[in-house]
Amino acid sequence: MAEPFEESTLIETIDLQKHFGSLHVLRGINQQVKRGEKVVVIGPSGSGKSTFLRCLNLLEEPTGGTILFEGADITAKHTDINRVRRKMGMVFQQFNLFPHMTVLQNMVLAPVRLKVMPRPEAEEKAMGLLTRIGLKEKADQYPRALSGGQQQRIAILRALNMNPDIMLFDEPTSALDPEMVGEVLDLMRQLVNDGMTMVVVTHEMGFAREVGDRILFMDEGLIVEEAPPAQLFAAPRKERTQRFLEKVL
Amino acid sequence: MGFLEQLSRDFQNNIIAGDRYMMLLRGLGTTLLIALCAAIIGIVLGSVIALMRLSNFRLGKRFYPFRAISSFYVDVIRGTPMVVQLMIMYYIILAASSLSKEVIAIISFGLNSAAYTSEIVRGGILAVDKGQSEAGRSLGLSASQTMLLVVLPQSVRIVIPSLFNEFIMLLKETSVVGFIGLMDLTKAGDFIRSRTYAAFFPLLSVAVIYFVIVSILTRVFARIERGLRKGDGRTI
């Protein structure tokens, strides 16, 4: 069967703005993420890349502009944001597993409470995911008994257990010990291979180059340059991009 | 007559004679009843007030009605003496009611304790890392589901030592219920003193009984806290 000719847009931001008090953190972001696309956001700290990501599921409320998710304006007043968020998995720098719940409880809490699937099905799916990453035997342990890398991989699975349409990663390896970065990136590569739509904020330039369909370079609240990784890393057009890449590569 | 002999006779007169020790024990019962029931009201109402103080419900640009009501309540309770609140409740607000003195005392102390408990609970909620509620919300849980399933269970562990402390304060604070004519432990001791014209044994007995009860509670609470910490992976 032929591939559908038109790629469909999953999420789109139109003139996205964010102020923190007098601080203008996002100064008009216009972006589209296609279904199945992997977008990697890089840039110096304070450039607004995390804020941009957190605006996509309204963890930060934009102060201007519009966000369309699957065609619907989620910044509109009547939007049921909780319903939208079910479709958008998010992974945090600090993992944020629930410490008072076991691994399995962490993973089935939202799907069961939000009636996405009945408990037996949610548990079965969770166990399947855990088996896939070789952590099946950790199902009944509490997060504090796990290494950072294990916690972050389970945080990823917790989001996946909701069957999201897109996964948002907010510097998922920045809080990890160096020897644990690899296992988290490996899991993310698996998601890439599964065709998951992903927006990743990261400092891992190697990973960005390897899996990104498109790299966004952000600075001072704007997307300074965007290009496929081969182009952006080898021949950045903007001077600011060049300066940044010289420092990090 | 020797000193010890005198002491023994005083003890006999003040504590044993006329089953006066029974009076003290009944007083202790009243004290414990009021403290316990008030603590329950305090925890339930205090949690509600804490949630109100943290509520983001807004009218217009920046008027938060729940925050305003709850912080006014806490200010009023904390800004006036407990005895005055108790007497206002008994002689004014519930003067026309047919409620017993015990119930009025329980209500008064419950309302008072709720103000202090709300501050403890509020602190416990704020002490839970912000990432926890963000994780809950990012999964699609509503604000109240996130509070109930993710934040509050973690707050409970944080606030329990302070809640125990609040209960001990409350228990001792009930010693003012004599002001509305209730015969609690303190009032019982004072009553005996007024009959025997000897202050030493009645009042010292009262003090010793409070001390023993608080010591027992402290030990029980410490054991519960240790149990709660066990799963924490902490060593102290």
Side-chain angles (χ1 to χ4, degrees), chain B residues 54-67:
Chain B
L54 295 168
S55 139
N56 282 321
F57 178 75
R58 188 170 55 178
L59 288 179
K61 260 263 178 282
R62 55 165 146 256
F63 179 62
Y64 296 87
F66 289 127
R67 289 191 201 175

Side-chain angles (χ1 to χ4, degrees), chain A residues 54 82 85 97 100 144, chain B residues 131-132 134 137 149 154 231:
Chain A
R54 290 160 56 83
N82 298 327
R85 285 185 182 135
L97 289 178
H100 59 298
R144 65 178 165 272
Chain B
Q132 289 292 311
E134 287 186 348
R137 297 306 304 275
L149 300 168
Q154 297 182 58

